[in-house]
Amino acid sequence: MGTWKTGKLRRSGLAALLAAALTVSAAACGGDESAKEKGGSPSASSENQGGEKGGEGEGKTLPDTSKVIATLKGDEGIEMVLHSVVRDAGGFLTVSGEFKNNGSSRYTTPVQWSGEEQAVARTGRSVAAMTLVDSKEKKRYYVLRDTDNRPLTTSGYQPAIDAGESLPFFAQFPAPPSDTTEVSLQFPGFPNAPIEIS
């Protein structure tokens, strides 16, 4: 066979191989599109496995903000509204809510909200000062930390909440014993509040 015919065959074989690769690639991309059309994302199942966790980027089950467990009034028009206090399957207790600025001016979030531990304070603004007290077991629970000593709670927020605005938050604790159904939430600037665990 001549050199010219061999080169032509190589080019046609390469073209066929390229066409097959493009077909496979298009089929793979089509799978993502069909998942999106069904209202989900390709990684929706893996995102939702984590439940409500502290780390950013993990899947979260957002609390029902129409449900209000307690409203605690602080100074300067700030309120802490609790939406849920839920036991997770992994032995955690997650508190979710929001800080609402019902005042007429900007509310500067106190540095005390981050707690007094220097290692945690270095990680930036957070609500790590929140604690839960189980008077039945005579125990105090602190916000959990990850392996880098960052609190498993809302962090890195802006230092002020504008009038009429709110700041959603969550905080994750070790779960009290299963027969404990009520704990007292303590947080700087707000009155202590007994809250039921669901």
Side-chain angles (χ1 to χ4, degrees), residues 5-172:
K5 287 185 179 177
T6 306
K8 189 174 181 183
L9 283 174
R10 283 185 187 152
R11 283 193 296 276
S12 62
L14 183 60
L17 184 62
L18 185 60
L22 287 173
T23 303
V24 170
S25 176
C29 291
D32 284 349
E33 288 304 315
S34 62
K36 288 176 186 171
E37 286 171 11
K38 291 177 184 174
S41 68
S43 58
S45 60
S46 62
E47 285 176 4
N48 291 331
Q49 288 174 357
E52 184 167 2
K53 302 284 183 185
E56 291 183 13
E58 293 181 19
K60 291 183 183 179
T61 304
L62 298 177
D64 180 5
T65 55
S66 64
K67 182 179 178 183
V68 175
I69 294 173
T71 301
L72 312 177
K73 296 187 182 294
D75 13 341
E76 302 177 39
I78 195 75
E79 289 182 350
M80 181 196 295
V81 181
L82 300 176
H83 295 302
S84 68
V85 182
V86 181
R87 287 180 195 275
D88 296 338
F92 306 117
L93 183 75
T94 304
V95 178
S96 300
E98 59 186 321
F99 296 103
K100 287 187 174 181
N101 182 359
N102 294 321
S104 56
S105 59
R106 247 177 150 205
Y107 178 81
T108 302
T109 57
V111 293
Q112 289 85 358
W113 284 12
S114 299
E116 296 180 359
E117 292 179 57
Q118 291 182 352
V120 173
R122 281 197 297 269
T123 64
R125 292 180 177 274
S126 70
V127 292
M130 190 176 295
T131 60
L132 299 177
V133 176
D134 179 355
S135 54
K136 179 183 173 186
E137 295 289 324
K138 296 181 173 56
K139 287 185 179 178
R140 179 184 299 272
Y141 296 93
Y142 295 88
V143 171
L144 290 168
R145 298 349 181 206
D146 68 11
T147 53
D148 294 323
N149 218 21
R150 291 184 301 246
L152 297 183
T153 179
T154 300
S155 59
Y157 50 82
Q158 295 299 318
I161 306 171
D162 289 330
E165 296 296 320
S166 62
L167 169 67
F169 75 87
F170 80 95
Q172 201 165 53

